[in-house]
Amino acid sequence: MSRPLLELRNVSMSFGGMRVNDDISFSIGKGERVALIGPNGAGKTTLVNVISGDLTPSQGAVHLAGVDVTALPISDRVDAGLIRTFQITRLFKSLTVAQNVALAVMQRKGLTRSMFSCPMDRPDVRREWERALGTLGIAHLADRQVSQLAYGQQRLLDLAIGLALEPKVLLLDEPAAGVPSEESSKIIEAIDRLPSDIAVLMIEHDMDLVFKFARRVLVLANGKLIFQGDPAEVTHHQEVRRAYLGSYADARHAS
Amino acid sequence: MTDRAMVDGVSPPRFSVPLELRAVAITLALGVLGYTLFPDDLAFLTRLISITLLVLSLDLVTGYCGVATLGHAAIYGVSAYVVGNACLAGHSDPLLLLLVGAVAGAVMGLVSGVLVTRFKGLPQLVLSIAVGQLVAALANKLSSLTGGSDGLSGISPGRVFGVYAFDMYGRTGYVFSVAVLMVVFVVLLRIVHSPFGLLCQAIKDDSLRARMIGARVYPRLVLMYGVSGVVGGIGGALNAINTGVVGLDSIGFERSAEALVMLVLGGAGSLWGALIGSIVFQVFEHYVSAANPFHWMTMVGALLIAVVLFAPKGLVSLGGLLAGRTASVMRRRP
Ligand SMILES: Nc1ncnc2c1ncn2[C@@H]1O[C@H](COP(=O)(O)OP(=O)(O)OP(=O)(O)O)[C@@H](O)[C@H]1O
Ligand SMILES: [Mg+2]
């Protein structure tokens, strides 16, 4: 593995007195597919918030392609190719589907300063947002308002925005959760077809999907990284089993 | 239309000329209509247009960026005073005065934007009121510049293009104002559909999501405040040019609040909404206050309650109200 694209060094995040992420270190290299799993409330989304820059960690550092980005604003990280999606869909609801994605394309190309032109229809821009919508099978919804979309379609659009930003590191927070099977297969397909050189960290509860997708699994429980390794081993790992059975705390007392 | 996006890159451009042509046609038609309905009260109409520019200006920050402000008249008023002083100092060319107003408005807009968009929600609202009150208090104190409570008077602009003098019937002023409104409206339509305009709406919808596509939120909002300042400044300039006087009423809290009411009435987040709200409110006020000077505010209140109840997104959402607002325009949310 060459220099990691994303590296966390002893990251901790506390809210008030509560440690939601506790001394987490790992790294992800170019082209890696990593799943982040763990029970509800384990701190997975919080970790993604820290990596993406929405939260500043109480301790530790986040490195992106060898550069310490812990103190950088979100937008600088996005420029460097660190892109995320959201567990609960966040979209621009007063814009159309096409505008949601086109805006991402134009932002990446540095066109959002433009006040008078409308580069959304420039062939190079248009090709890109049409491709992102096409990849997720929602090109036919391009002119709809976001508010007219079903929830599953909104999830597809959220991912389409992510793809349009041409990530180098992509953080997916339960991309297929709560999505009807027809749409979830679209999402899985799209994730399968991501450019092979980008690094992907996916939070996912569906273990079938985890096994299919990931070559490495990180397990978070009570804010701690309790396992990292081969997906085949994860189900046999005692501590992980305990965490999922909800008796992690008891087990710790016993040992 | 729905299939269009699937056709490879050869479909017609999304931003078509007709939208702007339609805007030109509609503002012209409204101008003619106004002239036919109120031929003897052009002063009312020019005032209406000047306030409409303030409401459009407010729409840019409140409707398109989601900034809560009750101090927007500061921009309008400061520009009116600056223009008044410029004219009294002998710079009387109306186009030059418009430019002066635009620049003064831009400066005020940028200053307000720098302060107000740092915050969100209630603190933002309170800060906007504070800025507005501060400016109004200054206007009252600096009587050498503003004439204090007497205001500035005797502002007499020169001829438009050196040819058309401002006549006592207000015809020149009216035509001038309609032309200015038309130009501003068309330019604004362009701006709100530009990537910059879309990004502002995206920030309003969800500023964290906007950051996560790489947007620098604060500078965008300040810039839109600057644009808004230009528009409000032109409104203030028209006020000074057309009425020949500038008073404290043009800068105060009430003017800000009234502009917000007009915007909500018509529909924030739509330029057409700002236009409709401003016209309906002022025409309503004009008729009703003449017919019943004591209870007209009650009726305005009743109108507002009805709109909030039955068309919470403003009169513009009643759809098809204005000629030419086709479904495709609806989708583009001008
Ligand atoms: N901004 C916040 N302020 C205070 N507490 C927070 C905040 N965000 C998260 N928490 C708490 O941190 C813990 C971890 O939350 P988080 O959303 O990261 O879990 P998760 O692993 O993503 O869970 P899920 O699988 O349900 O999505 C929870 O107890 C939550 O209440
Ligand atoms: Mg979560």
Side-chain angles (χ1 to χ4, degrees), chain A residues 44-46 87 173-174 203:
Chain A
K44 305 181 296 294
T45 297
T46 302
Q87 181 172 3
D173 196 348
E174 304 195 24
I203 300 176

Side-chain angles (χ1 to χ4, degrees), chain A residues 52 74-76 79 90 92-94 103 107 111-112 114-117 119 121 126 130 142-143 145 158, chain B residues 1 5 11 13-15 190-191 194-196 198 202 205-206 208-209 211-214 216 220 331 333:
Chain A
S52 63
I74 294 172
S75 47
D76 288 2
D79 289 352
R90 306 184 74 132
F92 306 126
K93 57 181 181 308
S94 53
L103 194 59
Q107 175 65 39
L111 297 171
T112 50
S114 163
M115 271 198 206
F116 297 104
S117 62
D121 288 303
R126 192 181 178 99
E130 284 183 348
D143 284 324
Q145 289 298 139
D158 200 327
Chain B
M1 191 74 179
S11 38
R14 182 164 294 258
F15 191 87
R190 234 183 145 132
I191 291 177
S194 72
F196 167 70
L198 292 182
D205 286 347
D206 188 334
L208 177 62
R209 199 9 158 167
R211 285 192 171 87
M212 288 292 175
I213 67 167
R216 274 87 181 151
R220 295 298 107 182
R331 269 199 295 272
R333 292 180 43 97

Side-chain angles (χ1 to χ4, degrees), chain B residues 85 88 138-148 152:
Chain B
N85 278 304
L88 291 173
L138 275 178
N140 195 14
K141 278 270 178 277
L142 300 174
S143 46
S144 59
L145 289 173
T146 63
L152 289 180

Side-chain angles (χ1 to χ4, degrees), chain B residues 6-221:
Chain B
M6 306 221 277
V7 184
D8 285 337
V10 283
S11 38
R14 182 164 294 258
F15 191 87
S16 49
V17 181
L19 182 63
E20 285 153 334
L21 277 185
R22 205 156 24 200
V24 169
I26 289 172
T27 33
L28 267 183
L30 285 173
V32 172
L33 185 70
Y35 192 89
T36 2
L37 288 179
F38 302 92
D40 303 322
D41 212 348
L42 296 179
F44 160 64
L45 293 179
T46 48
R47 191 189 119 87
L48 183 151
I49 290 172
S50 154
I51 300 281
T52 300
L53 286 163
L54 172 62
V55 179
L56 284 168
S57 160
L58 181 64
D59 198 13
L60 293 180
V61 295
T62 299
Y64 284 91
C65 297
V67 175
T69 164
L70 273 169
H72 218 63
I75 290 169
Y76 179 89
V78 165
S79 152
Y81 278 118
V82 171
V83 167
N85 278 304
C87 191
L88 291 173
H91 306 288
S92 67
D93 182 87
L95 291 176
L96 177 70
L97 290 176
L98 274 189
L99 182 67
V100 168
V103 172
V107 171
M108 261 315 286
L110 290 172
V111 171
S112 314
V114 164
L115 294 170
V116 170
T117 63
R118 265 270 171 237
F119 301 86
K120 271 186 173 180
L122 280 180
Q124 182 176 64
L125 186 66
V126 171
L127 192 68
S128 76
I129 296 174
V131 171
Q133 297 295 75
L134 193 73
V135 171
L138 275 178
N140 195 14
K141 278 270 178 277
L142 300 174
S143 46
S144 59
L145 289 173
T146 63
S149 53
D150 297 334
L152 289 180
S153 55
I155 301 162
S156 60
R159 295 162 181 263
V160 183
F161 303 128
V163 181
Y164 307 101
F166 283 83
D167 54 306
M168 60 179 287
Y169 306 106
R171 279 194 206 117
T172 303
Y174 182 62
V175 173
F176 186 63
S177 302
V178 170
V180 169
L181 176 66
M182 189 171 80
V183 171
V184 169
F185 198 83
V186 169
V187 171
L188 288 188
L189 273 179
R190 234 183 145 132
I191 291 177
V192 300
H193 285 106
S194 72
F196 167 70
L198 292 182
L199 187 60
C200 287
Q201 294 173 67
I203 291 169
K204 177 198 68 181
D205 286 347
D206 188 334
S207 72
L208 177 62
R209 199 9 158 167
R211 285 192 171 87
M212 288 292 175
I213 67 167
R216 274 87 181 151
V217 167
Y218 182 56
R220 295 298 107 182
L221 294 181

Side-chain angles (χ1 to χ4, degrees), chain A residues 15 18 20 38-47 87 174 205:
Chain A
F15 296 113
M18 191 171 68
V20 175
N40 290 112
K44 305 181 296 294
T45 297
T46 302
L47 193 62
Q87 181 172 3
E174 304 195 24
H205 282 296

